[in-house]
Amino acid sequence: MDGQQIGRSSRVLVAGATGYLGSRIVARLKSRGYWVRVLVRRPEQAAALAVADDIFVAQVTEPESLAGICDGVGTLYSTLGITRQRDGVGYRQVDYGGNVALLREAERSGVQRFAYVSVLHGPELRSRVRLAAAKEEFVDELRASPIPSTVIRPTAYFSDMAAFLDMARKGTVFVIGDGSRQMNPVSGEDLAVACVEGVESGAGELEVGGPDVLSHNDIVHLAFDTACRKPRMLRIPTWAAAGIGGALARTTPERVYGPVQFFLSVMTRDMVAPAHGTDHLGKFFAGRPAS
Ligand SMILES: NC(=O)c1ccc[n+]([C@@H]2O[C@H](COP(=O)([O-])OP(=O)(O)OC[C@H]3O[C@@H](n4cnc5c(N)ncnc54)[C@H](OP(=O)(O)O)[C@@H]3O)[C@@H](O)[C@H]2O)c1
């Protein structure tokens, strides 16, 4: 490796840096001594990323605005994707198209590794879940690229488990099926550590869950314990949930049915991945202020 390549390997770009996971990857990289550039779409988002060394303002849906974003960068981490629909663009434009635009820039600039966050069981979910389809189509592009890649497939994040706590605080939690399905949700901090370790070790693919395997019933009881309320659950039969999902897919636009379809598909199967980290959901719940 020549001097330029050695310097380059310590320089990183994070796309999705304003989000739950991306911001924690930035913090982890900084604590490990990396030089970090972040992509934001609005200049005012820079204030929340003061720890970054360089801010690049661009729109992933306008590929020409990304010109030069990877110059001098050794590794690109992308957590870019739609989790809350609010911009009027779809998974195809952002989770697929936005990441393809970044990949083309990475190829042009000679990036040494592209790390991408998809979802656990993405290859199985892609045939029936629009979000998983867009993500896995991007994984196909990534695998076809000459750039070495790390594909990270996490379970649910603690940030999403907060919905159970919010419902418990209001008095009733909806549960799909009998609540016996299991998952091992992971904190953003533990997942960020796993992502950076995976990239540094050159892993091609990495499934990541948290340290505790919990049934949906366990999570609901934890939420009610934290809320200091008597458990009250409204159980939706799996067949009824599937019916609601199917009806929404036929009658509503992607921005409505897309998140519901993803939620239903992960709540009607086990989502357990190899355990990483030490953070427990109970502590996360206890530290979450009431909304
Ligand atoms: N949450 C989970 O349980 C879970 C589980 C498995 C996989 N994942 C995947 O992990 C990734 C990160 O999740 P997260 O919870 O960190 O998501 P998040 O907090 O919603 O962050 C998403 C990032 O993508 C950016 N983004 C979204 N729409 C955009 C658009 N139209 N144009 C430009 N940027 C856009 C956001 O930018 P702004 O801040 O500007 O909106 C943000 O930086 C996602 O791809 C998600 O699908 C999530």
Side-chain angles (χ1 to χ4, degrees):
M1 241 199 291
D2 64 25
Q4 205 182 358
Q5 281 177 310
I6 292 167
R8 193 173 183 142
S9 63
S10 66
R11 294 167 74 89
V12 169
L13 166 67
V14 181
T18 52
Y20 174 72
L21 175 59
S23 60
R24 285 155 177 86
I25 290 178
V26 171
R28 180 67 186 167
L29 289 166
K30 284 308 300 173
S31 76
R32 306 240 334 127
Y34 287 90
W35 181 96
V36 179
R37 176 180 293 151
V38 293
L39 166 64
V40 300
R41 49 179 164 161
R42 289 184 298 276
E44 63 271 23
Q45 292 174 306
L49 289 161
V51 67
D53 298 282
D54 189 30
I55 309 275
F56 197 102
V57 183
Q59 312 304 322
V60 291
T61 46
E62 296 165 20
E64 63 287 358
S65 73
L66 295 171
I69 190 170
C70 295
D71 289 357
V73 162
T75 304
L76 194 164
Y77 289 78
S78 177
T79 66
L80 183 85
I82 297 174
T83 54
R84 283 165 289 280
Q85 293 271 0
R86 56 190 167 201
D87 302 310
V89 284
Y91 302 128
R92 183 85 199 154
Q93 288 111 309
V94 177
D95 294 76
Y96 174 75
N99 281 299
V100 168
L102 285 167
L103 178 59
R104 295 295 164 259
E105 274 300 309
E107 288 166 346
R108 201 189 54 71
S109 299
V111 163
Q112 296 155 337
R113 180 165 291 272
F114 193 125
Y116 175 64
V117 178
S118 182
V119 60
L120 187 67
H121 302 314
E124 294 135 72
L125 296 173
R126 68 187 294 177
S127 63
R128 56 183 193 282
V129 179
R130 283 292 279 267
L131 170 60
K135 286 188 176 306
E136 292 302 317
E137 275 171 54
F138 175 66
V139 171
D140 294 344
E141 294 276 353
L142 193 53
R143 296 304 194 204
S145 165
I147 298 182
S149 55
T150 300
V151 174
I152 299 134
R153 300 187 187 282
T155 55
Y157 301 171
F158 279 9
S159 53
D160 286 331
M161 296 298 100
F164 286 103
L165 179 59
D166 295 344
M167 284 191 279
R169 283 178 166 149
K170 288 180 184 148
T172 306
V173 175
F174 292 90
V175 179
I176 296 172
D178 66 4
S180 64
R181 289 290 186 191
Q182 294 185 317
M183 60 170 75
N184 58 334
V186 64
S187 75
E189 287 76 10
D190 280 344
L191 179 53
V193 169
C195 290
V196 175
E197 279 178 4
V199 165
E200 288 177 343
S201 67
E205 187 147 340
L206 193 65
E207 295 186 340
V208 184
D212 305 317
V213 176
L214 303 167
S215 69
H216 297 179
N217 287 332
D218 293 336
I219 294 170
V220 171
H221 282 288
L222 198 56
F224 278 111
D225 285 349
T226 308
C228 298
R229 294 188 76 133
K230 193 165 165 280
R232 185 164 175 269
M233 294 178 224
L234 201 59
R235 294 198 187 276
I236 303 172
T238 307
W239 61 264
I244 294 166
L248 284 177
R250 286 190 300 277
T251 56
T252 64
E254 182 190 274
R255 76 185 147 73
V256 177
Y257 79 76
V260 178
Q261 188 182 54
F262 180 65
F263 173 78
L264 292 176
S265 65
V266 299
M267 295 306 282
T268 50
R269 62 171 302 156
D270 291 330
M271 291 290 280
V272 180
H276 288 255
T278 55
D279 290 343
H280 302 289
L281 188 61
K283 195 167 172 204
F284 171 78
F285 277 174
R288 186 175 162 84
S291 53

